[in-house]
Amino acid sequence: MSAPRVLVVDDEPAIRRLLRTSLATQDWRVIEAGNGMNALAAVKAEEIDVVLLDLGLPDMDGIEVIRQMRLALPTLPIVVLSVRDDERGKVAALDLGADDYVTKPFGMAELVARLRAALRHALQKEGTIPLYVSGDLSVDLVRRIVTRSGKEVHLSPREWDILRLLIRHAGRVLTHKHILGQLWGANGDVQQLRVYIRQIRQKLEENPERPTYIITETGIGYRLIDPMNL
């Protein structure tokens, strides 16, 4: 199998050099861009498998880069590099279609896992994975059966819809806005979603106060653990 090609977009040469060296040792082919215009040119000129994008670019807003990339290549996986306290930027990027984010400073193991997950999301069609299995939790999307430690768990229709949506995007952050838009349209609110997430955790988690399956991304949304990245 050919090496996956990642476009690294960051205005700091030291960061690009670190990523180029580290990713190359794990059989990634790295293409670099130091600003937004060069990044947009690269996705048109090169065959890119996934983009790793810093939002703080010198020539244009990283959010605008995502918007233009999405117009040109709607299915291109995009993972955002962000600073720790930029929740607004993360939410805006995810709502525009970014697949995930990694917060600076980051560990290479986590970064590579997120890039691989983004690639998988691009390669799999919506709803084609019929079974989710992680630890003692098993969810059959075709038969609509949820079991924990071999015992069937009964979910309400709304709880099922939320869990199914999270499974179809396992490993990816789903913003509050995305979940509400998919399941409630214009009539949902974040507090209502939090109540349902709490109820699902009560049924699925060994310790709902310290969840291991449905992880809260503070101020952003939720992420269901991808068992392939454990």
Side-chain angles (χ1 to χ4, degrees):
M1 184 175 67
S2 61
R5 293 151 298 190
V6 54
L7 172 62
V8 174
V9 187
D10 197 299
D11 65 328
E12 297 184 43
I15 296 292
R16 295 202 307 273
R17 185 166 55 251
L18 169 66
L19 290 168
R20 180 177 66 246
T21 303
S22 300
L23 290 171
T25 63
Q26 302 201 39
D27 298 322
W28 289 78
R29 178 185 166 195
V30 179
I31 300 155
E32 299 178 39
N35 58 48
M37 294 302 295
N38 288 344
L40 293 172
V43 296
K44 294 177 182 178
E46 304 263 4
E47 291 189 14
I48 305 295
D49 293 310
V50 60
V51 175
L52 182 60
L53 172 68
D54 183 16
L55 292 179
L57 299 175
D59 60 335
M60 59 192 302
D61 189 347
I63 300 300
E64 177 62 17
V65 175
I66 295 173
R67 190 187 70 79
Q68 292 194 34
M69 283 184 177
R70 276 284 166 263
L71 287 174
L73 298 165
T75 62
L76 177 65
I78 301 172
V79 176
V80 166
L81 285 175
S82 68
V83 295
R84 188 169 302 278
D85 58 355
D86 185 21
E87 290 182 2
R88 181 176 298 180
K90 295 170 189 173
V91 171
L94 293 165
D95 281 339
L96 254 181
D99 293 79
D100 205 346
Y101 71 86
V102 177
T103 302
K104 294 180 178 180
F106 52 83
M108 285 306 303
E110 177 191 10
L111 175 61
V112 170
R114 298 288 173 84
L115 290 173
R116 287 175 177 161
L119 277 176
R120 283 200 303 275
H121 294 149
L123 293 172
Q124 69 192 34
K125 292 182 180 179
E126 181 80 4
T128 57
I129 298 179
L131 193 66
Y132 173 88
V133 180
S134 181
D136 63 356
L137 176 64
S138 175
V139 182
D140 188 326
L141 293 177
V142 175
R143 300 167 63 202
R144 297 173 68 98
I145 295 175
V146 181
T147 59
R148 180 183 163 205
S149 300
K151 297 181 180 179
E152 188 168 350
V153 177
H154 296 282
L155 300 180
S156 72
R158 182 62 76 188
E159 290 167 353
W160 169 260
D161 288 342
I162 293 170
L163 181 60
R164 179 178 58 185
L165 183 64
L166 290 169
I167 287 173
R168 286 179 171 173
H169 299 278
R172 177 179 176 180
V173 180
L174 296 186
T175 66
H176 299 126
K177 180 180 177 181
H178 179 86
I179 298 172
L180 292 172
Q182 291 290 309
L183 302 181
W184 276 275
N187 299 319
D189 65 76
V190 173
Q191 186 54 40
Q192 187 178 22
L193 174 59
R194 288 185 179 124
V195 170
Y196 278 110
I197 292 291
R198 189 180 310 119
Q199 292 172 181
I200 296 170
R201 284 171 170 163
Q202 290 287 343
K203 296 178 179 181
L204 302 186
E205 301 280 0
E206 182 175 350
N207 182 355
E209 301 303 317
R210 299 174 66 89
T212 57
Y213 296 123
I214 301 175
I215 306 303
T216 298
E217 300 285 347
T218 304
I220 298 171
Y222 300 97
R223 180 200 304 271
L224 182 72
I225 291 298
D226 183 349
M228 296 187 70
N229 282 341
L230 296 177

